[in-house]
Amino acid sequence: MGPRLKLFLPLILFAMLAVTLFRGLSLDPGEMPSALIDQPLPAFSLPRLGQSGLLSEADVIGQPALLNVWATWCISCRVEHPYLQQLAAQGIPIFGLNYKDDDQAAQRWLDELGNPYRFNIADREGTLGLDLGVYGAPETYLLDAGGVVRYRHVGVVDDKVWQTILAPKYMALNTGSGAP
Amino acid sequence: MIPEIGHFALIIALCIALILAVVPAWGAWRGNSVAMALAPGLAMGLLVFVGISYSCLSAAFLQDDFSVKLVASHSNSLLPPIYKFAAVWGNHEGSLVLWVLILSLWTAAVAVFSSQLPLLVLSRVLSVMGVIAVGFLLFSLLTSNPFARLLPGAPADGSDLNPLLQDLGLIVHPPLLYMGYVGFSVAFAFAIAALLGGRLDASWARWSRPWTNIAWAFLSLGIMLGSWWAYYELGWGGWWFWDPVENASFMPWLAGTALIHSLAATEKRGLFKSWTVLLAIFAFSLSLLGTFLVRSGVLTSVHAFATDPARGMFILVFLAVVVGGSLTLYAFRAPAVSSRLTFAWVSRESLLLCNNVVFLVATLTVLFGTLFPLIVDALGMGKVSVGPPYFNAVFVPLMALLVPFMGLGPVSRWKGDTVARWRGELLIPLVVAVFCGITLPLLHAPYNIWVALAVLLSSWLVVGLARDFWQRLRRASNPMQGLGRLTPGYCGMLIAHLGFAACIIGVVATSQYSVENDLKMSPGDSRVLAGYEFRFVAVTEVRGPNFVADEAHFEVTRDGARVASMRPQKRRYLASGSVMTEAAIDAGLLRDLYVAMGEPVGSDGAWAMRLHFKPLIRWMWLGAILMAVGAFTAVLDKRYRRPREVVLGADEALLRGT
Amino acid sequence: MTVLRALLVACAMLLAGRALALIETYEFSSPELEARYQQLSEELRCPKCQNQNIADSNAPIAQDLRKLLHHQLELGATDEEILDYMVVRYGEFVRYRPRFGGTTVVLWLAPVLLLLVGILVLTRMLRSPPKTGLSGTESLSAQEQVRLRSLLDKAGRDS
């Protein structure tokens, strides 16, 4: 390398750094994709909220669906709830994971505000949440027909989130699996 | 009215900065003395108007003017006045105005204290600083206006300053830190001026050295205060977390340390001119990069201000212009062929080079580690975290590697020395150091090999310095005369290196010997930790100016003798409702005792308590203070106050030419 | 919407507030386990917080993970097993000490490589002039050389 050319080295390195930083501005460092993407839902055996009997991972298999992690102590879940009602009314299967909550309070909540869920898994201790890598409520998982986790959205699911992120993926899973 | 005056003053300051950035530099290019001579006046004008703007902002805070959005979000009528004053810089917008204020202070200081500088150089230096001021003023006015109003509908009261920031540490830490960060802009400006002038001789090193030392000293104090503040304020006894924001201040310090040592060689021997210029650019670039990292949101940190990618974009563009521009200038203007190196392997110059290598590797390592999660994410390769385990594992060995050379440095001669002479000077200190390393750690069971190593390295430094000091006194006809002949430069080095040795001991001793226990205690319980007995007496409720708290009372005894009475608190701030732990610390030169309250456990008045024993932790911060004192001392040297030289003396020619 | 956002931010602040150091009092069956607990809880990152390890955070998830850590340690899992358990669920993100492999090899090797490069540059620089001192002074007279030496020593006594 010629002597003059060597002096350009710092500039070149800086340019590479600047490009990386530019790229970094459009990323969200706090965003954490689920570690379970493309893996089946972890095995579990937990009670069904409001009814007797146990649920297991076999119960979510059959069609692409949403698994919504919620709790009565989570204020954002209350914000999200009406929209979930809308989605359920459209026929989209939503399963609930009642995360570290009190059964009675949860049942009351559903009675008052409506129940968009096909069923609710009562994860009182948060064991399934831990296995899923849940770190706060609300979170929504997109499962395919085989019960494999395809996507996780952290935060409230509102119209914008549904239209831009979840709906396209859900449609793709539906056409792919040929489900009605 | 006052916020509007402040806003207007800031705009005027921007105009002045624009003129300062352009006119004197043009004058230097064209040889127009009138244009060049405007520079000092413009610098003073900049300071005046930024000062007015800052005063207006402070007034808005102190007068509880909640129509100003900033005051409403970060202050409260119940806040004690001193914290209202400090709340100005406890947020993004206000801290930017502080940044610009400190920049104007440095610019004005350079204008005032540069009687020995040729006007050609001074005008260029001040113009460069004007460019930086323009950037930050634009950033403030365009994206982060501190004087934005909430009219109509100003709230009746504010949301309160984050309780974590309601502390003496907040009052002092950011200004000191900024003095350091911003101070490196002076070295940067001198480097750019030298490149612009095309005359890369060693005189620019002599001019910029005192400024760089002062900036480095302030940065050392700022970082030390941050560490100390986190220790007593956050309630978990930690003092450094390698958080991106902490690293953002540490990297300029590391590069700055390399710079001040490299400047020594350039000043004394005319060597490494091109390299030192690059280091000066690098150190200030790291300051700017730090500003970017803290305010753009690209990295997660507990310290980060409210982040905004739009603001980040502005800083990135500014960074690209300033750093990219200076590196381009460097690539074109720095001498392509380095000057003939005329010193031997065994010499002070090569030791200074070792210093530079180690500190540069350290800086780049910390930089890479801090940015690595971002790089991996930007390349789409997932999310990783790089934290203290990594940084400690790579940084500590580097520092250990440095110390042997550090001991040799002060004793060695310029240009050429002999190993035999080194052996003569330093064999005894080496033996004493090894002896200390083996024996002193025996004072504390169990024997810890890391502490032994640290003691060995520190003793090597201390004994070597002591011996050299003694020799100098002895060489004089009497000790008093010997003391008188010690230059401030030498004394500064002595103090600073002693400070570093103290730091090493403090860091290693506290990391290795600290004892920490989380316990459930009820009133009346007693626990023993490291020979101290902590007796939990009672919990009472107390009221502060803007909080209520549960206060626990501990009596600490050792071998029956009373040592301290400690009162940790669990505070709930009234305005925001946030809860904070206020740890009780019994500070000592040889150890700290630390008690923090957790949560009430059960219903019988028991609490979870954290008890810490931290030996020698203060040495770390005292060491940092010593380093700063040393740097300040070195600046007092007479040679920086010599009037402008017209002709290079014959001695200097001899020194520099060979 | 802004009111709710403010509320969410407030909740997040309360939950992630670093100074609210939640201190649990776990009992361990041996001091080694306690030491390992302390070390591992400093190595594991809280998935939700802004750059805190699970030891210092009081977010609910951090509490859960600490409980899990305690449980696993008491069950006799090794450090590697515990870390793998966490990584399977939360991703590599949750480890503050990046594992050596894949993308992080360059991270761990960087300091060593940089140091080697530095030493290489240093030796190349120092190899050019002759190895004995006072080089480049052939053009000076003997008197000047003595003068030079004394000037250098004087300069050395300053700093």
Side-chain angles (χ1 to χ4, degrees), chain A residues 13 21 31 35 37 50 141 145 158 162 172:
Chain A
L13 289 172
L21 294 177
E31 179 204 319
I37 301 272
Y141 290 79
D158 58 16
W162 175 252

Side-chain angles (χ1 to χ4, degrees), chain B residues 608-623:
Chain B
M609 294 289 185
R610 173 167 288 167
L611 305 174
H612 283 239
F613 168 72
K614 299 186 109 59
L616 295 183
I617 192 169
R618 306 259 145 188
W619 285 41
M620 177 174 43
W621 301 313
L622 289 173

Side-chain angles (χ1 to χ4, degrees), chain B residues 5-49:
Chain B
I5 296 177
H7 196 182
F8 193 52
L10 210 58
I11 297 175
I12 298 183
L14 174 63
C15 298
I16 297 180
L18 271 166
I19 303 175
L20 177 61
V22 172
V23 173
W26 175 86
W29 181 39
R30 289 298 196 187
N32 185 325
S33 330
V34 173
M36 288 195 277
L38 282 177
L42 287 169
M44 300 310 289
L46 181 66
L47 177 60
V48 165
F49 281 96

Side-chain angles (χ1 to χ4, degrees), chain C:
Chain C
M1 207 52 217
T2 28
V3 174
L4 278 163
R5 262 186 49 181
L7 203 60
L8 286 172
V9 169
C11 284
M13 264 177 60
L14 277 177
L15 289 174
R18 194 177 205 181
L20 181 53
L22 199 70
I23 301 165
E24 289 122 0
T25 50
Y26 287 120
E27 297 291 325
F28 288 93
S29 47
S30 82
E32 289 96 46
L33 284 182
E34 182 158 10
R36 279 173 65 201
Y37 172 82
Q38 278 185 359
Q39 199 219 333
L40 281 172
S41 62
E42 282 171 9
E43 273 196 36
L44 285 167
R45 181 173 187 166
C46 164
K48 180 187 183 112
C49 324
Q50 292 178 295
N51 202 27
Q52 283 179 278
N53 56 36
I54 60 173
D56 304 329
S57 165
N58 68 313
I61 184 66
Q63 290 176 41
D64 290 344
L65 288 177
R66 284 199 296 267
K67 200 158 86 178
L68 185 68
L69 180 62
H70 174 248
H71 181 67
Q72 295 254 324
L73 279 170
E74 290 291 334
L75 280 180
T78 65
D79 285 358
E80 271 311 306
E81 284 169 0
I82 296 175
L83 288 170
D84 284 340
Y85 184 93
M86 299 291 184
V87 168
V88 161
R89 287 153 180 77
Y90 290 96
E92 288 288 342
F93 181 80
V94 84
R95 285 185 64 160
Y96 264 136
R97 178 196 299 268
R99 67 181 179 94
F100 189 79
T103 41
T104 51
V105 168
V106 65
L107 179 70
W108 284 104
L109 288 181
V112 178
L113 289 173
L114 284 170
L115 196 60
L116 283 174
V117 167
I119 295 174
L120 213 75
V121 168
L122 203 67
T123 42
R124 269 188 45 190
M125 274 178 77
L126 292 176
R127 205 150 348 149
S128 348
K131 291 189 182 28
T132 53
L134 287 182
S135 59
T137 56
E138 302 78 23
S139 55
L140 298 176
S141 71
Q143 198 182 33
E144 282 177 319
Q145 290 208 17
V146 167
R147 188 101 200 291
L148 174 62
R149 185 74 257 167
S150 86
L151 282 173
L152 281 171
D153 285 345
K154 180 167 172 295
R157 280 201 291 279
D158 307 334
S159 213

